[in-house]
């Protein structure tokens, strides 16, 4: 295969134009290209409104690749260097079936690797299956009646299921391509294999996670829902079992992929003196704008045949960093609490991203020295305080909200302007200075006008802030060694909840590497 990079086409191009541009760059007839596959697709909007779609492609050609490359003189073409990740295979034997705790991305892919290795893993998930979970989440959005076992945080697929399903990551790892292939096999669209910013969408993820579960089961694995780990059983410095609400399980190999919201599990681990440490994380708000405003700001026009535009903004202040995270084009702000009497916001969007609003987390970086509580769980306790304060302020699961204009003016909002908040079961208009810590409000006040200069319309007076966004990442890290084990032998902390990942793909990578380490120990 010959790999050609930086093929630039207008937004309204078709597949034939891509093929013939590749042929032109190689100085051959289009008929000599026997096959073309897209390696990467991105959007270059630096010269608005002349927006371009940029491709890297691999082509199979009729004739000698070396001769074609030499005669073309194209500096953007070369013989493709293709590498593949191969899951470990071998004759592995384990005294007892390995157990994976948590069925989010880390636990799911750890379980898949162990099942492919023939170890028949048992996977425990405190929440319910995706379909039941979807129904209960929809009920909560409509009525404000929360189920603490099935919600945006807990259940099949983990917190990532009710998100935009973003699969881009800053991590460079050979396992990424394989992970994306498994998503496609489970029902995701093929464009996630090459889009620079791939996403699945909540509506599609609900099917994908169920198909991944069925595959694990077909390979000999087992998934037990509504099964919560309540204690760890040990003997002579080694794990020997798990206590659950469904009974004890004897095991000596456990991958702990609990997610960032399993606070009762963090408390149990701390009581059992499993080594942990507080880690930096971030809290703030969700900010919403009209998607058409973001499209115009990013593309120079809201009418181009392009996907809804996204953004990623950051501002470094004297003592904090304010940045956007988990941006959801055409999405909605969601009620993401997993505990009674607390309010948490998050964002999600469906595959088509066809909602009226754009939204993103707008976060302020926080370090352990900032926490008002001491100890390993200091950040978690601060999260809980803020979530409870928001609930007490509104008196229900409706979230506190304020327009950006009113927030900067220091006055309470009384209603929406051009941007209607998408949060369900609804919002209570207020002054967020009464809800958020001064450290966060001060940083947001300083950063918002500066971010508006970076992206016109991002922080317009009509944009809506909904609070609080508290669970962008885990506030603790469960310590592990180079062998990926805790000091408690046989316990493998993994994923976002353990403090080693920050999204679906990075969590999946960490889960895979935990499974590989477990296999290596055998």
């Amino acid at each position: 295969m010959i790999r050609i990079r930086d093929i630039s086409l207008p937004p309204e191009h078709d597949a034939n134009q891509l093929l013939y541009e590749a042929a032109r760059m190689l100085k051959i007839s289009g008929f000599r290209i026997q096959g073309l596959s897209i390696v990467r697709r991105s959007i270059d909007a630096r010269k608005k409104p002349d927006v371009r779609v940029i491709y890297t492609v691999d082509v199979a050609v009729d004739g000698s690749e070396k001769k074609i490359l030499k005669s073309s003189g194209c500096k953007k073409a070369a013989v493709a260097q293709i590498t593949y990740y191969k899951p470990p295979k071998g004759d592995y034997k384990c005294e007892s079936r390995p157990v994976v705790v948590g069925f989010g991305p880390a636990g799911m892919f750890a379980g898949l690797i162990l099942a492919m290795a023939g170890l028949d893993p048992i996977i425990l998930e405190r929440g319910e299956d995706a379909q039941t979970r979807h129904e209960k989440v929809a009920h909560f959005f409509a009525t404000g009646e929360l189920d603490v076992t099935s919600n945006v945080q807990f259940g099949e697929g983990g917190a990532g299921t009710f998100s935009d399903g973003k699969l881009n990551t800053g991590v460079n790892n050979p396992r990424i391509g394989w992970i994306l292939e498994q998503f496609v096999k489970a029902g995701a669209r093929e464009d996630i294999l090459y889009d620079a910013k791939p996403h699945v969408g909540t509506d599609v993820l609900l099917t994908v996670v169920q198909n991944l579960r069925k595959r694990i089961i077909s390979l000999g694995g087992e998934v037990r829902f509504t099964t919560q780990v309540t204690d760890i059983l040990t003997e002579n410095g080694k794990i020997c079992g798990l206590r659950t609400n469904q009974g004890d399980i004897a095991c000596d190999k456990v991958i702990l992929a609990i997610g960032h919201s399993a606070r009762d599990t963090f408390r149990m681990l701390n009581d059992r003196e499993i080594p942990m440490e507080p880690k930096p994380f971030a809290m703030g708000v969700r900010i919403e704008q009209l998607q058409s405003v973001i499209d115009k700001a990013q593309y120079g026009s809201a009418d181009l045949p392009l996907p809804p535009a996204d953004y990623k903004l950051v501002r470094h202040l004297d003592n904090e960093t304010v940045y956007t995270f988990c941006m959801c084009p055409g999405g909605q702000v969601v009620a993401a609490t997993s505990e009674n009497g607390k309010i948490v916001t998050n964002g999600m969007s469906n595959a088509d991203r066809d909602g009226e609003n754009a939204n993103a987390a707008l976060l302020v970086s926080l370090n352990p020295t900032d926490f008002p509580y001491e100890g390993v769980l200091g950040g978690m306790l601060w999260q809980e305080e803020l979530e409870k304060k928001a609930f007490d302020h509104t008196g229900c699961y409706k979230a506190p909200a304020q327009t950006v204009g009113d927030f900067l003016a220091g006055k309470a909002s009384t209603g929406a302007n051009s941007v209607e908040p998408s949060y369900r079961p609804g919002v209570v208009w207020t002054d967020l200075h009464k809800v958020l810590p001064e450290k966060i409000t001060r940083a947001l006040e300083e950063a918002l006008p500066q971010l508006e200069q970076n992206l016109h319309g991002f922080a317009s007076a009509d944009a809506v802030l909904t609070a609080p966004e508290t669970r962008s990442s885990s506030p603790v890290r469960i310590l592990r060694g180079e062998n990926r084990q805790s000091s408690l032998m046989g316990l493998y902390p993994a994923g976002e909840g353990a403090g080693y990942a920050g999204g679906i793909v990075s969590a999946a990578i960490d889960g895979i590497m935990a499974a590989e380490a477990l296999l290596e120990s055998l």
Side-chain angles (χ1 to χ4, degrees), residues 64 100 102 113 125 133 142 203 217 293 341 368 429 438 512:
S64 167
V100 179
I113 292 295
E125 169 54 50
R133 181 186 182 199
D203 50 342
I217 293 172
V293 170
W429 294 102
E438 190 272 339
I512 289 173

PDB file of all heavy atoms in Angstrom, residues 64 100 102 113 125 133 142 203 217 293 341 368 429 438 512:
ATOM      1  N   SER A  64       4.373  -1.387  -9.794  1.00  0.00           N
ATOM      2  CA  SER A  64       5.378  -1.325  -8.733  1.00  0.00           C
ATOM      3  C   SER A  64       5.192  -0.057  -7.900  1.00  0.00           C
ATOM      4  O   SER A  64       5.229   1.060  -8.432  1.00  0.00           O
ATOM      5  CB  SER A  64       6.783  -1.328  -9.348  1.00  0.00           C
ATOM      6  OG  SER A  64       7.744  -0.983  -8.386  1.00  0.00           O
ATOM      7  N   VAL A 100     -13.358  -9.314  37.251  1.00  0.00           N
ATOM      8  CA  VAL A 100     -13.259  -7.903  36.871  1.00  0.00           C
ATOM      9  C   VAL A 100     -14.394  -7.167  37.578  1.00  0.00           C
ATOM     10  O   VAL A 100     -15.560  -7.556  37.458  1.00  0.00           O
ATOM     11  CB  VAL A 100     -13.367  -7.710  35.349  1.00  0.00           C
ATOM     12  CG1 VAL A 100     -13.295  -6.228  34.989  1.00  0.00           C
ATOM     13  CG2 VAL A 100     -12.273  -8.494  34.619  1.00  0.00           C
ATOM     14  N   GLY A 102     -16.513  -3.953  37.689  1.00  0.00           N
ATOM     15  CA  GLY A 102     -16.885  -2.784  36.893  1.00  0.00           C
ATOM     16  C   GLY A 102     -16.985  -3.138  35.427  1.00  0.00           C
ATOM     17  O   GLY A 102     -16.095  -3.807  34.876  1.00  0.00           O
ATOM     18  N   ILE A 113     -10.280  -9.236  26.846  1.00  0.00           N
ATOM     19  CA  ILE A 113      -8.945  -9.820  26.689  1.00  0.00           C
ATOM     20  C   ILE A 113      -8.830 -11.135  27.468  1.00  0.00           C
ATOM     21  O   ILE A 113      -8.315 -12.144  26.963  1.00  0.00           O
ATOM     22  CB  ILE A 113      -7.862  -8.827  27.149  1.00  0.00           C
ATOM     23  CG1 ILE A 113      -7.802  -7.625  26.198  1.00  0.00           C
ATOM     24  CG2 ILE A 113      -6.494  -9.508  27.221  1.00  0.00           C
ATOM     25  CD1 ILE A 113      -7.375  -7.940  24.787  1.00  0.00           C
ATOM     26  N   GLU A 125     -20.915  -6.007  37.886  1.00  0.00           N
ATOM     27  CA  GLU A 125     -21.356  -4.634  37.642  1.00  0.00           C
ATOM     28  C   GLU A 125     -22.472  -4.297  38.626  1.00  0.00           C
ATOM     29  O   GLU A 125     -23.484  -5.001  38.695  1.00  0.00           O
ATOM     30  CB  GLU A 125     -21.847  -4.480  36.199  1.00  0.00           C
ATOM     31  CG  GLU A 125     -22.576  -3.184  35.895  1.00  0.00           C
ATOM     32  CD  GLU A 125     -21.775  -1.938  36.275  1.00  0.00           C
ATOM     33  OE1 GLU A 125     -20.588  -1.845  35.890  1.00  0.00           O
ATOM     34  OE2 GLU A 125     -22.346  -1.056  36.953  1.00  0.00           O
ATOM     35  N   ARG A 133     -31.169   0.121  32.195  1.00  0.00           N
ATOM     36  CA  ARG A 133     -30.545   1.373  32.638  1.00  0.00           C
ATOM     37  C   ARG A 133     -31.072   2.556  31.831  1.00  0.00           C
ATOM     38  O   ARG A 133     -31.388   3.619  32.389  1.00  0.00           O
ATOM     39  CB  ARG A 133     -29.035   1.237  32.470  1.00  0.00           C
ATOM     40  CG  ARG A 133     -28.239   2.428  32.912  1.00  0.00           C
ATOM     41  CD  ARG A 133     -26.776   2.227  32.555  1.00  0.00           C
ATOM     42  NE  ARG A 133     -25.969   3.342  32.999  1.00  0.00           N
ATOM     43  CZ  ARG A 133     -24.765   3.617  32.541  1.00  0.00           C
ATOM     44  NH1 ARG A 133     -24.209   2.833  31.628  1.00  0.00           N
ATOM     45  NH2 ARG A 133     -24.087   4.661  32.976  1.00  0.00           N
ATOM     46  N   ALA A 142     -37.201  12.620  33.198  1.00  0.00           N
ATOM     47  CA  ALA A 142     -38.572  13.105  33.046  1.00  0.00           C
ATOM     48  C   ALA A 142     -39.219  13.471  34.376  1.00  0.00           C
ATOM     49  O   ALA A 142     -40.023  14.416  34.444  1.00  0.00           O
ATOM     50  CB  ALA A 142     -39.416  12.040  32.343  1.00  0.00           C
ATOM     51  N   ASP A 203     -26.944   7.071  21.648  1.00  0.00           N
ATOM     52  CA  ASP A 203     -27.958   6.176  21.101  1.00  0.00           C
ATOM     53  C   ASP A 203     -27.337   4.909  20.528  1.00  0.00           C
ATOM     54  O   ASP A 203     -27.889   3.815  20.660  1.00  0.00           O
ATOM     55  CB  ASP A 203     -28.806   6.898  20.053  1.00  0.00           C
ATOM     56  CG  ASP A 203     -27.981   7.631  19.005  1.00  0.00           C
ATOM     57  OD1 ASP A 203     -26.780   7.881  19.232  1.00  0.00           O
ATOM     58  OD2 ASP A 203     -28.545   7.976  17.947  1.00  0.00           O
ATOM     59  N   ILE A 217     -19.456 -13.110  26.637  1.00  0.00           N
ATOM     60  CA  ILE A 217     -20.162 -14.314  27.092  1.00  0.00           C
ATOM     61  C   ILE A 217     -19.942 -15.469  26.118  1.00  0.00           C
ATOM     62  O   ILE A 217     -19.737 -16.621  26.531  1.00  0.00           O
ATOM     63  CB  ILE A 217     -21.661 -14.004  27.266  1.00  0.00           C
ATOM     64  CG1 ILE A 217     -21.866 -13.019  28.424  1.00  0.00           C
ATOM     65  CG2 ILE A 217     -22.461 -15.283  27.505  1.00  0.00           C
ATOM     66  CD1 ILE A 217     -23.281 -12.502  28.566  1.00  0.00           C
ATOM     67  N   VAL A 293     -24.275  29.022  16.351  1.00  0.00           N
ATOM     68  CA  VAL A 293     -23.292  30.062  16.680  1.00  0.00           C
ATOM     69  C   VAL A 293     -21.879  29.484  16.661  1.00  0.00           C
ATOM     70  O   VAL A 293     -20.945  30.107  16.139  1.00  0.00           O
ATOM     71  CB  VAL A 293     -23.617  30.680  18.057  1.00  0.00           C
ATOM     72  CG1 VAL A 293     -22.482  31.573  18.539  1.00  0.00           C
ATOM     73  CG2 VAL A 293     -24.919  31.465  17.989  1.00  0.00           C
ATOM     74  N   GLY A 341     -30.051  13.221  46.883  1.00  0.00           N
ATOM     75  CA  GLY A 341     -29.791  14.517  47.500  1.00  0.00           C
ATOM     76  C   GLY A 341     -28.570  15.233  46.977  1.00  0.00           C
ATOM     77  O   GLY A 341     -28.013  16.094  47.664  1.00  0.00           O
ATOM     78  N   PRO A 368      -4.557  18.987  45.340  1.00  0.00           N
ATOM     79  CA  PRO A 368      -4.818  18.578  46.732  1.00  0.00           C
ATOM     80  C   PRO A 368      -4.590  19.683  47.755  1.00  0.00           C
ATOM     81  O   PRO A 368      -5.268  19.710  48.788  1.00  0.00           O
ATOM     82  CB  PRO A 368      -3.853  17.409  46.926  1.00  0.00           C
ATOM     83  CG  PRO A 368      -3.758  16.792  45.555  1.00  0.00           C
ATOM     84  CD  PRO A 368      -3.787  17.959  44.610  1.00  0.00           C
ATOM     85  N   TRP A 429     -33.293  29.075  37.985  1.00  0.00           N
ATOM     86  CA  TRP A 429     -32.464  30.244  37.691  1.00  0.00           C
ATOM     87  C   TRP A 429     -32.025  30.902  38.999  1.00  0.00           C
ATOM     88  O   TRP A 429     -32.839  31.106  39.916  1.00  0.00           O
ATOM     89  CB  TRP A 429     -33.228  31.233  36.817  1.00  0.00           C
ATOM     90  CG  TRP A 429     -33.520  30.666  35.461  1.00  0.00           C
ATOM     91  CD1 TRP A 429     -34.706  30.164  35.020  1.00  0.00           C
ATOM     92  CD2 TRP A 429     -32.587  30.513  34.394  1.00  0.00           C
ATOM     93  NE1 TRP A 429     -34.572  29.712  33.728  1.00  0.00           N
ATOM     94  CE2 TRP A 429     -33.287  29.910  33.316  1.00  0.00           C
ATOM     95  CE3 TRP A 429     -31.236  30.818  34.236  1.00  0.00           C
ATOM     96  CZ2 TRP A 429     -32.685  29.611  32.107  1.00  0.00           C
ATOM     97  CZ3 TRP A 429     -30.628  30.531  33.027  1.00  0.00           C
ATOM     98  CH2 TRP A 429     -31.341  29.934  31.982  1.00  0.00           C
ATOM     99  N   GLU A 438     -15.726  30.082  45.969  1.00  0.00           N
ATOM    100  CA  GLU A 438     -15.166  31.335  45.460  1.00  0.00           C
ATOM    101  C   GLU A 438     -13.971  31.089  44.548  1.00  0.00           C
ATOM    102  O   GLU A 438     -13.788  31.803  43.565  1.00  0.00           O
ATOM    103  CB  GLU A 438     -14.757  32.228  46.640  1.00  0.00           C
ATOM    104  CG  GLU A 438     -14.384  33.646  46.256  1.00  0.00           C
ATOM    105  CD  GLU A 438     -12.902  33.783  45.902  1.00  0.00           C
ATOM    106  OE1 GLU A 438     -12.105  32.914  46.326  1.00  0.00           O
ATOM    107  OE2 GLU A 438     -12.537  34.751  45.199  1.00  0.00           O
ATOM    108  N   ILE A 512      -7.054  -3.082  29.153  1.00  0.00           N
ATOM    109  CA  ILE A 512      -6.344  -4.101  28.380  1.00  0.00           C
ATOM    110  C   ILE A 512      -4.979  -4.383  28.993  1.00  0.00           C
ATOM    111  O   ILE A 512      -4.571  -5.549  29.149  1.00  0.00           O
ATOM    112  CB  ILE A 512      -6.199  -3.650  26.912  1.00  0.00           C
ATOM    113  CG1 ILE A 512      -7.550  -3.683  26.205  1.00  0.00           C
ATOM    114  CG2 ILE A 512      -5.195  -4.539  26.162  1.00  0.00           C
ATOM    115  CD1 ILE A 512      -7.529  -3.093  24.812  1.00  0.00           C
TER     116      ILE A 512
END
